Amino acid sequence: MTSSDRPVRLTVNGTAHALRLPASTPLLPVLRNDLGLNGPKFGCGLGECGSCAVLVDDRPARACVLHLGDVAGCRIVTLDGLGTADAMHPVQAAFVAAAGAQCGYCLNGMIMTTVALLEATPDPSEAEIREALRFNLCRCGTHVEIVAAVQLAAERLAAARIAAARPSPSPDAEASP
């Protein structure tokens, strides 16, 4: 039995997949070509630019340098799995609101890295934001807007956490004279 006879199992954007491909198959073309997910982009192919970033078990990773065998059994989230145009993830919405992109090629990596950052550090300083994003290359020079987008996302997520923690008024309280 060869390695391609045994399926590689992974979960992408909440959907389980059993792929009959060699474990040495690069993840990025599988995501884009086999699964039809266009969020991760092919940039450098060396894991240097961040355009191909995905979350693997909630940690940012470069899909161009990962192989199926590296992520077998893992949960993978791509930009396509965060939200939709009608129901954006708060980080996606903040990037739109803050105009955090020009050409958009780096956007995938910036957003995926930001999601991981805000999960680990809900209220990051500007220095922590810049440190987290330092390996995501943006050739257009929108770094100021990107940092503003991350700060806006952090503020919005904090407000949502506070709102969710508040007890809702009971329906009987409103009905009282």
Side-chain angles (χ1 to χ4, degrees):
M1 181 182 264
T2 66
S3 64
S4 61
D5 291 334
R6 289 184 301 260
V8 176
R9 298 182 189 287
L10 48 105
T11 301
V12 180
N13 298 334
T15 301
H17 297 275
L19 303 166
R20 291 196 178 279
L21 295 167
S24 61
T25 303
L27 177 61
L28 181 60
V30 171
L31 294 173
R32 292 185 58 81
N33 302 335
D34 296 291
L35 302 181
L37 302 169
N38 294 317
K41 306 289 184 236
F42 183 87
C44 65
L46 302 169
E48 298 291 327
C49 72
S51 296
C52 65
V54 297
L55 299 179
V56 177
D57 291 336
D58 301 323
R59 296 178 53 122
R62 307 299 167 100
C64 71
V65 293
L66 289 175
H67 298 102
L68 289 180
D70 298 331
V71 294
C74 294
R75 287 176 293 104
I76 298 166
V77 177
T78 70
L79 184 67
D80 316 80
L82 285 182
T84 65
D86 295 329
M88 284 190 258
H89 184 281
V91 172
Q92 291 171 309
F95 269 76
V96 170
Q102 282 188 22
C103 82
Y105 213 79
C106 72
L107 201 55
N108 174 75
M110 295 292 186
I111 289 175
M112 299 310 289
T113 303
T114 297
V115 169
L117 168 66
L118 296 180
E119 281 291 318
T121 309
D123 186 23
S125 66
E126 183 175 334
E128 290 170 314
I129 293 167
R130 290 182 181 281
E131 174 68 19
L133 296 176
R134 74 176 186 203
F135 295 115
N136 290 276
L137 303 181
C138 173
R139 301 286 185 213
C140 299
T142 45
H143 295 88
V144 171
E145 291 84 357
I146 289 168
V147 170
V150 176
Q151 291 169 325
L152 179 60
E155 291 167 13
R156 288 180 173 181
L157 287 167
R161 280 191 303 278
I162 291 168
R166 278 194 201 119
S168 25
S170 70
D172 296 335
E174 290 180 23
S176 300

PDB file of all heavy atoms in Angstrom, residues 132-169:
ATOM      1  N   ALA A 132       3.811  41.169  15.374  1.00  0.00           N
ATOM      2  CA  ALA A 132       3.058  40.021  14.857  1.00  0.00           C
ATOM      3  C   ALA A 132       2.996  40.028  13.339  1.00  0.00           C
ATOM      4  O   ALA A 132       3.029  38.963  12.706  1.00  0.00           O
ATOM      5  CB  ALA A 132       1.649  40.011  15.441  1.00  0.00           C
ATOM      6  N   LEU A 133       2.919  41.199  12.745  1.00  0.00           N
ATOM      7  CA  LEU A 133       2.750  41.312  11.291  1.00  0.00           C
ATOM      8  C   LEU A 133       4.065  41.492  10.536  1.00  0.00           C
ATOM      9  O   LEU A 133       4.053  41.596   9.309  1.00  0.00           O
ATOM     10  CB  LEU A 133       1.825  42.489  10.964  1.00  0.00           C
ATOM     11  CG  LEU A 133       0.392  42.368  11.464  1.00  0.00           C
ATOM     12  CD1 LEU A 133      -0.384  43.632  11.149  1.00  0.00           C
ATOM     13  CD2 LEU A 133      -0.294  41.139  10.873  1.00  0.00           C
ATOM     14  N   ARG A 134       5.176  41.500  11.226  1.00  0.00           N
ATOM     15  CA  ARG A 134       6.451  41.859  10.595  1.00  0.00           C
ATOM     16  C   ARG A 134       6.874  40.926   9.461  1.00  0.00           C
ATOM     17  O   ARG A 134       7.627  41.332   8.585  1.00  0.00           O
ATOM     18  CB  ARG A 134       7.555  41.957  11.629  1.00  0.00           C
ATOM     19  CG  ARG A 134       8.005  40.622  12.125  1.00  0.00           C
ATOM     20  CD  ARG A 134       9.154  40.727  13.077  1.00  0.00           C
ATOM     21  NE  ARG A 134       9.560  39.348  13.338  1.00  0.00           N
ATOM     22  CZ  ARG A 134      10.200  38.978  14.378  1.00  0.00           C
ATOM     23  NH1 ARG A 134      10.561  39.849  15.268  1.00  0.00           N
ATOM     24  NH2 ARG A 134      10.507  37.710  14.535  1.00  0.00           N
ATOM     25  N   PHE A 135       6.405  39.686   9.460  1.00  0.00           N
ATOM     26  CA  PHE A 135       6.790  38.767   8.396  1.00  0.00           C
ATOM     27  C   PHE A 135       5.735  38.657   7.295  1.00  0.00           C
ATOM     28  O   PHE A 135       5.804  37.779   6.452  1.00  0.00           O
ATOM     29  CB  PHE A 135       7.115  37.389   8.967  1.00  0.00           C
ATOM     30  CG  PHE A 135       8.321  37.399   9.851  1.00  0.00           C
ATOM     31  CD1 PHE A 135       8.212  37.111  11.197  1.00  0.00           C
ATOM     32  CD2 PHE A 135       9.574  37.722   9.346  1.00  0.00           C
ATOM     33  CE1 PHE A 135       9.322  37.127  12.021  1.00  0.00           C
ATOM     34  CE2 PHE A 135      10.699  37.747  10.161  1.00  0.00           C
ATOM     35  CZ  PHE A 135      10.564  37.448  11.510  1.00  0.00           C
ATOM     36  N   ASN A 136       4.748  39.545   7.317  1.00  0.00           N
ATOM     37  CA  ASN A 136       3.751  39.627   6.251  1.00  0.00           C
ATOM     38  C   ASN A 136       4.109  40.840   5.402  1.00  0.00           C
ATOM     39  O   ASN A 136       4.016  41.972   5.869  1.00  0.00           O
ATOM     40  CB  ASN A 136       2.342  39.790   6.836  1.00  0.00           C
ATOM     41  CG  ASN A 136       1.875  38.529   7.509  1.00  0.00           C
ATOM     42  OD1 ASN A 136       1.360  37.631   6.867  1.00  0.00           O
ATOM     43  ND2 ASN A 136       2.079  38.458   8.812  1.00  0.00           N
ATOM     44  N   LEU A 137       4.525  40.586   4.185  1.00  0.00           N
ATOM     45  CA  LEU A 137       5.011  41.666   3.332  1.00  0.00           C
ATOM     46  C   LEU A 137       3.877  42.357   2.589  1.00  0.00           C
ATOM     47  O   LEU A 137       3.010  41.711   2.033  1.00  0.00           O
ATOM     48  CB  LEU A 137       6.023  41.116   2.329  1.00  0.00           C
ATOM     49  CG  LEU A 137       7.216  40.393   2.927  1.00  0.00           C
ATOM     50  CD1 LEU A 137       8.151  39.919   1.818  1.00  0.00           C
ATOM     51  CD2 LEU A 137       7.960  41.263   3.919  1.00  0.00           C
ATOM     52  N   CYS A 138       3.919  43.688   2.602  1.00  0.00           N
ATOM     53  CA  CYS A 138       2.980  44.504   1.847  1.00  0.00           C
ATOM     54  C   CYS A 138       3.802  45.413   0.954  1.00  0.00           C
ATOM     55  O   CYS A 138       4.521  46.283   1.442  1.00  0.00           O
ATOM     56  CB  CYS A 138       2.096  45.344   2.779  1.00  0.00           C
ATOM     57  SG  CYS A 138       1.058  46.519   1.881  1.00  0.00           S
ATOM     58  N   ARG A 139       3.690  45.211  -0.345  1.00  0.00           N
ATOM     59  CA  ARG A 139       4.468  46.000  -1.299  1.00  0.00           C
ATOM     60  C   ARG A 139       3.826  47.355  -1.580  1.00  0.00           C
ATOM     61  O   ARG A 139       4.456  48.240  -2.119  1.00  0.00           O
ATOM     62  CB  ARG A 139       4.630  45.233  -2.618  1.00  0.00           C
ATOM     63  CG  ARG A 139       5.303  43.903  -2.451  1.00  0.00           C
ATOM     64  CD  ARG A 139       6.771  44.096  -2.212  1.00  0.00           C
ATOM     65  NE  ARG A 139       7.436  42.789  -2.177  1.00  0.00           N
ATOM     66  CZ  ARG A 139       8.463  42.535  -1.425  1.00  0.00           C
ATOM     67  NH1 ARG A 139       8.961  43.446  -0.623  1.00  0.00           N
ATOM     68  NH2 ARG A 139       9.028  41.358  -1.446  1.00  0.00           N
ATOM     69  N   CYS A 140       2.542  47.519  -1.219  1.00  0.00           N
ATOM     70  CA  CYS A 140       1.835  48.776  -1.519  1.00  0.00           C
ATOM     71  C   CYS A 140       2.099  49.858  -0.475  1.00  0.00           C
ATOM     72  O   CYS A 140       1.769  51.015  -0.697  1.00  0.00           O
ATOM     73  CB  CYS A 140       0.329  48.533  -1.598  1.00  0.00           C
ATOM     74  SG  CYS A 140      -0.144  47.388  -2.886  1.00  0.00           S
ATOM     75  N   GLY A 141       2.600  49.476   0.674  1.00  0.00           N
ATOM     76  CA  GLY A 141       2.885  50.453   1.710  1.00  0.00           C
ATOM     77  C   GLY A 141       1.670  50.864   2.531  1.00  0.00           C
ATOM     78  O   GLY A 141       1.597  51.990   3.013  1.00  0.00           O
ATOM     79  N   THR A 142       0.719  49.981   2.719  1.00  0.00           N
ATOM     80  CA  THR A 142      -0.472  50.309   3.510  1.00  0.00           C
ATOM     81  C   THR A 142      -0.301  49.939   4.976  1.00  0.00           C
ATOM     82  O   THR A 142      -1.281  49.706   5.680  1.00  0.00           O
ATOM     83  CB  THR A 142      -1.728  49.596   2.949  1.00  0.00           C
ATOM     84  OG1 THR A 142      -1.405  48.243   2.663  1.00  0.00           O
ATOM     85  CG2 THR A 142      -2.282  50.266   1.745  1.00  0.00           C
ATOM     86  N   HIS A 143       0.905  49.927   5.461  1.00  0.00           N
ATOM     87  CA  HIS A 143       1.160  49.502   6.832  1.00  0.00           C
ATOM     88  C   HIS A 143       0.407  50.337   7.870  1.00  0.00           C
ATOM     89  O   HIS A 143      -0.088  49.808   8.847  1.00  0.00           O
ATOM     90  CB  HIS A 143       2.664  49.511   7.115  1.00  0.00           C
ATOM     91  CG  HIS A 143       3.404  48.509   6.295  1.00  0.00           C
ATOM     92  ND1 HIS A 143       3.889  48.814   5.044  1.00  0.00           N
ATOM     93  CD2 HIS A 143       3.715  47.218   6.525  1.00  0.00           C
ATOM     94  CE1 HIS A 143       4.478  47.739   4.544  1.00  0.00           C
ATOM     95  NE2 HIS A 143       4.379  46.756   5.421  1.00  0.00           N
ATOM     96  N   VAL A 144       0.313  51.638   7.658  1.00  0.00           N
ATOM     97  CA  VAL A 144      -0.393  52.504   8.609  1.00  0.00           C
ATOM     98  C   VAL A 144      -1.864  52.094   8.689  1.00  0.00           C
ATOM     99  O   VAL A 144      -2.427  51.947   9.783  1.00  0.00           O
ATOM    100  CB  VAL A 144      -0.251  53.993   8.213  1.00  0.00           C
ATOM    101  CG1 VAL A 144      -1.151  54.875   9.055  1.00  0.00           C
ATOM    102  CG2 VAL A 144       1.206  54.430   8.332  1.00  0.00           C
ATOM    103  N   GLU A 145      -2.484  51.868   7.541  1.00  0.00           N
ATOM    104  CA  GLU A 145      -3.895  51.473   7.510  1.00  0.00           C
ATOM    105  C   GLU A 145      -4.091  50.067   8.079  1.00  0.00           C
ATOM    106  O   GLU A 145      -5.089  49.783   8.728  1.00  0.00           O
ATOM    107  CB  GLU A 145      -4.447  51.539   6.078  1.00  0.00           C
ATOM    108  CG  GLU A 145      -4.568  52.949   5.531  1.00  0.00           C
ATOM    109  CD  GLU A 145      -3.271  53.493   4.921  1.00  0.00           C
ATOM    110  OE1 GLU A 145      -2.213  52.802   4.965  1.00  0.00           O
ATOM    111  OE2 GLU A 145      -3.300  54.625   4.409  1.00  0.00           O
ATOM    112  N   ILE A 146      -3.129  49.194   7.839  1.00  0.00           N
ATOM    113  CA  ILE A 146      -3.219  47.826   8.359  1.00  0.00           C
ATOM    114  C   ILE A 146      -3.152  47.850   9.879  1.00  0.00           C
ATOM    115  O   ILE A 146      -3.958  47.195  10.543  1.00  0.00           O
ATOM    116  CB  ILE A 146      -2.121  46.934   7.742  1.00  0.00           C
ATOM    117  CG1 ILE A 146      -2.450  46.675   6.267  1.00  0.00           C
ATOM    118  CG2 ILE A 146      -1.976  45.630   8.513  1.00  0.00           C
ATOM    119  CD1 ILE A 146      -1.313  46.058   5.464  1.00  0.00           C
ATOM    120  N   VAL A 147      -2.236  48.595  10.449  1.00  0.00           N
ATOM    121  CA  VAL A 147      -2.143  48.700  11.905  1.00  0.00           C
ATOM    122  C   VAL A 147      -3.440  49.303  12.462  1.00  0.00           C
ATOM    123  O   VAL A 147      -3.975  48.822  13.464  1.00  0.00           O
ATOM    124  CB  VAL A 147      -0.903  49.519  12.339  1.00  0.00           C
ATOM    125  CG1 VAL A 147      -0.937  49.838  13.832  1.00  0.00           C
ATOM    126  CG2 VAL A 147       0.375  48.759  11.979  1.00  0.00           C
ATOM    127  N   ALA A 148      -3.965  50.315  11.802  1.00  0.00           N
ATOM    128  CA  ALA A 148      -5.239  50.919  12.240  1.00  0.00           C
ATOM    129  C   ALA A 148      -6.369  49.898  12.176  1.00  0.00           C
ATOM    130  O   ALA A 148      -7.241  49.861  13.062  1.00  0.00           O
ATOM    131  CB  ALA A 148      -5.571  52.137  11.376  1.00  0.00           C
ATOM    132  N   ALA A 149      -6.367  49.044  11.157  1.00  0.00           N
ATOM    133  CA  ALA A 149      -7.398  48.010  11.032  1.00  0.00           C
ATOM    134  C   ALA A 149      -7.308  47.008  12.176  1.00  0.00           C
ATOM    135  O   ALA A 149      -8.336  46.591  12.731  1.00  0.00           O
ATOM    136  CB  ALA A 149      -7.270  47.300   9.688  1.00  0.00           C
ATOM    137  N   VAL A 150      -6.103  46.628  12.545  1.00  0.00           N
ATOM    138  CA  VAL A 150      -5.922  45.682  13.650  1.00  0.00           C
ATOM    139  C   VAL A 150      -6.396  46.321  14.957  1.00  0.00           C
ATOM    140  O   VAL A 150      -7.092  45.688  15.758  1.00  0.00           O
ATOM    141  CB  VAL A 150      -4.457  45.218  13.764  1.00  0.00           C
ATOM    142  CG1 VAL A 150      -4.272  44.304  14.973  1.00  0.00           C
ATOM    143  CG2 VAL A 150      -4.027  44.507  12.479  1.00  0.00           C
ATOM    144  N   GLN A 151      -6.048  47.581  15.164  1.00  0.00           N
ATOM    145  CA  GLN A 151      -6.502  48.279  16.379  1.00  0.00           C
ATOM    146  C   GLN A 151      -8.025  48.375  16.412  1.00  0.00           C
ATOM    147  O   GLN A 151      -8.640  48.162  17.463  1.00  0.00           O
ATOM    148  CB  GLN A 151      -5.862  49.673  16.452  1.00  0.00           C
ATOM    149  CG  GLN A 151      -4.376  49.605  16.705  1.00  0.00           C
ATOM    150  CD  GLN A 151      -3.672  50.940  16.531  1.00  0.00           C
ATOM    151  OE1 GLN A 151      -4.032  51.750  15.668  1.00  0.00           O
ATOM    152  NE2 GLN A 151      -2.648  51.174  17.349  1.00  0.00           N
ATOM    153  N   LEU A 152      -8.644  48.683  15.283  1.00  0.00           N
ATOM    154  CA  LEU A 152     -10.099  48.760  15.206  1.00  0.00           C
ATOM    155  C   LEU A 152     -10.728  47.398  15.485  1.00  0.00           C
ATOM    156  O   LEU A 152     -11.711  47.298  16.220  1.00  0.00           O
ATOM    157  CB  LEU A 152     -10.528  49.284  13.831  1.00  0.00           C
ATOM    158  CG  LEU A 152     -12.031  49.390  13.590  1.00  0.00           C
ATOM    159  CD1 LEU A 152     -12.689  50.336  14.601  1.00  0.00           C
ATOM    160  CD2 LEU A 152     -12.295  49.863  12.156  1.00  0.00           C
ATOM    161  N   ALA A 153     -10.164  46.339  14.928  1.00  0.00           N
ATOM    162  CA  ALA A 153     -10.676  44.988  15.172  1.00  0.00           C
ATOM    163  C   ALA A 153     -10.585  44.648  16.656  1.00  0.00           C
ATOM    164  O   ALA A 153     -11.535  44.090  17.226  1.00  0.00           O
ATOM    165  CB  ALA A 153      -9.904  43.964  14.349  1.00  0.00           C
ATOM    166  N   ALA A 154      -9.468  44.999  17.289  1.00  0.00           N
ATOM    167  CA  ALA A 154      -9.306  44.724  18.724  1.00  0.00           C
ATOM    168  C   ALA A 154     -10.357  45.473  19.531  1.00  0.00           C
ATOM    169  O   ALA A 154     -10.973  44.903  20.454  1.00  0.00           O
ATOM    170  CB  ALA A 154      -7.903  45.121  19.185  1.00  0.00           C
ATOM    171  N   GLU A 155     -10.607  46.735  19.187  1.00  0.00           N
ATOM    172  CA  GLU A 155     -11.629  47.530  19.889  1.00  0.00           C
ATOM    173  C   GLU A 155     -13.014  46.911  19.705  1.00  0.00           C
ATOM    174  O   GLU A 155     -13.787  46.800  20.666  1.00  0.00           O
ATOM    175  CB  GLU A 155     -11.643  48.963  19.367  1.00  0.00           C
ATOM    176  CG  GLU A 155     -10.416  49.769  19.736  1.00  0.00           C
ATOM    177  CD  GLU A 155     -10.318  51.078  18.945  1.00  0.00           C
ATOM    178  OE1 GLU A 155     -11.304  51.483  18.287  1.00  0.00           O
ATOM    179  OE2 GLU A 155      -9.227  51.683  18.978  1.00  0.00           O
ATOM    180  N   ARG A 156     -13.345  46.527  18.486  1.00  0.00           N
ATOM    181  CA  ARG A 156     -14.664  45.954  18.203  1.00  0.00           C
ATOM    182  C   ARG A 156     -14.851  44.608  18.902  1.00  0.00           C
ATOM    183  O   ARG A 156     -15.934  44.318  19.421  1.00  0.00           O
ATOM    184  CB  ARG A 156     -14.871  45.801  16.697  1.00  0.00           C
ATOM    185  CG  ARG A 156     -15.067  47.132  16.004  1.00  0.00           C
ATOM    186  CD  ARG A 156     -15.260  46.936  14.524  1.00  0.00           C
ATOM    187  NE  ARG A 156     -15.616  48.172  13.852  1.00  0.00           N
ATOM    188  CZ  ARG A 156     -15.849  48.258  12.553  1.00  0.00           C
ATOM    189  NH1 ARG A 156     -15.782  47.185  11.783  1.00  0.00           N
ATOM    190  NH2 ARG A 156     -16.164  49.420  12.011  1.00  0.00           N
ATOM    191  N   LEU A 157     -13.821  43.792  18.907  1.00  0.00           N
ATOM    192  CA  LEU A 157     -13.921  42.493  19.576  1.00  0.00           C
ATOM    193  C   LEU A 157     -14.055  42.675  21.089  1.00  0.00           C
ATOM    194  O   LEU A 157     -14.815  41.948  21.740  1.00  0.00           O
ATOM    195  CB  LEU A 157     -12.720  41.616  19.228  1.00  0.00           C
ATOM    196  CG  LEU A 157     -12.725  41.063  17.810  1.00  0.00           C
ATOM    197  CD1 LEU A 157     -11.359  40.489  17.447  1.00  0.00           C
ATOM    198  CD2 LEU A 157     -13.811  40.012  17.649  1.00  0.00           C
ATOM    199  N   ALA A 158     -13.345  43.650  21.651  1.00  0.00           N
ATOM    200  CA  ALA A 158     -13.463  43.927  23.088  1.00  0.00           C
ATOM    201  C   ALA A 158     -14.871  44.403  23.424  1.00  0.00           C
ATOM    202  O   ALA A 158     -15.467  43.959  24.415  1.00  0.00           O
ATOM    203  CB  ALA A 158     -12.426  44.973  23.512  1.00  0.00           C
ATOM    204  N   ALA A 159     -15.436  45.275  22.599  1.00  0.00           N
ATOM    205  CA  ALA A 159     -16.801  45.761  22.825  1.00  0.00           C
ATOM    206  C   ALA A 159     -17.798  44.611  22.734  1.00  0.00           C
ATOM    207  O   ALA A 159     -18.745  44.542  23.529  1.00  0.00           O
ATOM    208  CB  ALA A 159     -17.145  46.851  21.813  1.00  0.00           C
ATOM    209  N   ALA A 160     -17.581  43.699  21.796  1.00  0.00           N
ATOM    210  CA  ALA A 160     -18.476  42.542  21.651  1.00  0.00           C
ATOM    211  C   ALA A 160     -18.378  41.628  22.871  1.00  0.00           C
ATOM    212  O   ALA A 160     -19.398  41.104  23.339  1.00  0.00           O
ATOM    213  CB  ALA A 160     -18.150  41.773  20.383  1.00  0.00           C
ATOM    214  N   ARG A 161     -17.166  41.438  23.401  1.00  0.00           N
ATOM    215  CA  ARG A 161     -17.000  40.610  24.609  1.00  0.00           C
ATOM    216  C   ARG A 161     -17.715  41.247  25.797  1.00  0.00           C
ATOM    217  O   ARG A 161     -18.363  40.564  26.584  1.00  0.00           O
ATOM    218  CB  ARG A 161     -15.514  40.415  24.926  1.00  0.00           C
ATOM    219  CG  ARG A 161     -14.839  39.359  24.096  1.00  0.00           C
ATOM    220  CD  ARG A 161     -13.451  39.016  24.631  1.00  0.00           C
ATOM    221  NE  ARG A 161     -12.559  40.155  24.723  1.00  0.00           N
ATOM    222  CZ  ARG A 161     -11.863  40.658  23.712  1.00  0.00           C
ATOM    223  NH1 ARG A 161     -11.927  40.105  22.529  1.00  0.00           N
ATOM    224  NH2 ARG A 161     -11.067  41.696  23.891  1.00  0.00           N
ATOM    225  N   ILE A 162     -17.607  42.569  25.940  1.00  0.00           N
ATOM    226  CA  ILE A 162     -18.264  43.276  27.042  1.00  0.00           C
ATOM    227  C   ILE A 162     -19.777  43.157  26.905  1.00  0.00           C
ATOM    228  O   ILE A 162     -20.478  42.863  27.876  1.00  0.00           O
ATOM    229  CB  ILE A 162     -17.817  44.753  27.090  1.00  0.00           C
ATOM    230  CG1 ILE A 162     -16.347  44.831  27.520  1.00  0.00           C
ATOM    231  CG2 ILE A 162     -18.709  45.573  28.014  1.00  0.00           C
ATOM    232  CD1 ILE A 162     -15.711  46.193  27.327  1.00  0.00           C
ATOM    233  N   ALA A 163     -20.276  43.361  25.699  1.00  0.00           N
ATOM    234  CA  ALA A 163     -21.721  43.266  25.471  1.00  0.00           C
ATOM    235  C   ALA A 163     -22.233  41.855  25.752  1.00  0.00           C
ATOM    236  O   ALA A 163     -23.313  41.677  26.323  1.00  0.00           O
ATOM    237  CB  ALA A 163     -22.054  43.674  24.041  1.00  0.00           C
ATOM    238  N   ALA A 164     -21.452  40.849  25.374  1.00  0.00           N
ATOM    239  CA  ALA A 164     -21.869  39.465  25.593  1.00  0.00           C
ATOM    240  C   ALA A 164     -21.846  39.107  27.075  1.00  0.00           C
ATOM    241  O   ALA A 164     -22.615  38.250  27.523  1.00  0.00           O
ATOM    242  CB  ALA A 164     -20.969  38.518  24.812  1.00  0.00           C
ATOM    243  N   ALA A 165     -20.983  39.773  27.845  1.00  0.00           N
ATOM    244  CA  ALA A 165     -20.871  39.470  29.268  1.00  0.00           C
ATOM    245  C   ALA A 165     -21.956  40.142  30.101  1.00  0.00           C
ATOM    246  O   ALA A 165     -22.218  39.729  31.230  1.00  0.00           O
ATOM    247  CB  ALA A 165     -19.499  39.902  29.781  1.00  0.00           C
ATOM    248  N   ARG A 166     -22.580  41.176  29.553  1.00  0.00           N
ATOM    249  CA  ARG A 166     -23.646  41.868  30.284  1.00  0.00           C
ATOM    250  C   ARG A 166     -24.875  40.987  30.374  1.00  0.00           C
ATOM    251  O   ARG A 166     -25.302  40.395  29.383  1.00  0.00           O
ATOM    252  CB  ARG A 166     -24.049  43.144  29.553  1.00  0.00           C
ATOM    253  CG  ARG A 166     -23.149  44.284  29.823  1.00  0.00           C
ATOM    254  CD  ARG A 166     -23.782  45.589  29.346  1.00  0.00           C
ATOM    255  NE  ARG A 166     -22.720  46.540  29.168  1.00  0.00           N
ATOM    256  CZ  ARG A 166     -22.406  47.121  28.036  1.00  0.00           C
ATOM    257  NH1 ARG A 166     -23.100  46.886  26.945  1.00  0.00           N
ATOM    258  NH2 ARG A 166     -21.409  47.958  27.968  1.00  0.00           N
ATOM    259  N   PRO A 167     -25.491  40.943  31.557  1.00  0.00           N
ATOM    260  CA  PRO A 167     -26.742  40.189  31.643  1.00  0.00           C
ATOM    261  C   PRO A 167     -27.830  40.940  30.875  1.00  0.00           C
ATOM    262  O   PRO A 167     -27.902  42.163  30.900  1.00  0.00           O
ATOM    263  CB  PRO A 167     -27.051  40.140  33.139  1.00  0.00           C
ATOM    264  CG  PRO A 167     -26.216  41.202  33.762  1.00  0.00           C
ATOM    265  CD  PRO A 167     -25.080  41.501  32.818  1.00  0.00           C
ATOM    266  N   SER A 168     -28.620  40.191  30.141  1.00  0.00           N
ATOM    267  CA  SER A 168     -29.714  40.842  29.410  1.00  0.00           C
ATOM    268  C   SER A 168     -30.869  41.082  30.368  1.00  0.00           C
ATOM    269  O   SER A 168     -31.104  40.300  31.281  1.00  0.00           O
ATOM    270  CB  SER A 168     -30.157  40.034  28.212  1.00  0.00           C
ATOM    271  OG  SER A 168     -29.892  38.689  28.348  1.00  0.00           O
ATOM    272  N   PRO A 169     -31.555  42.193  30.159  1.00  0.00           N
ATOM    273  CA  PRO A 169     -32.689  42.485  31.036  1.00  0.00           C
ATOM    274  C   PRO A 169     -33.771  41.423  30.841  1.00  0.00           C
ATOM    275  O   PRO A 169     -33.985  40.940  29.732  1.00  0.00           O
ATOM    276  CB  PRO A 169     -33.176  43.859  30.584  1.00  0.00           C
ATOM    277  CG  PRO A 169     -32.563  44.081  29.247  1.00  0.00           C
ATOM    278  CD  PRO A 169     -31.372  43.180  29.135  1.00  0.00           C
TER     279      PRO A 169
END
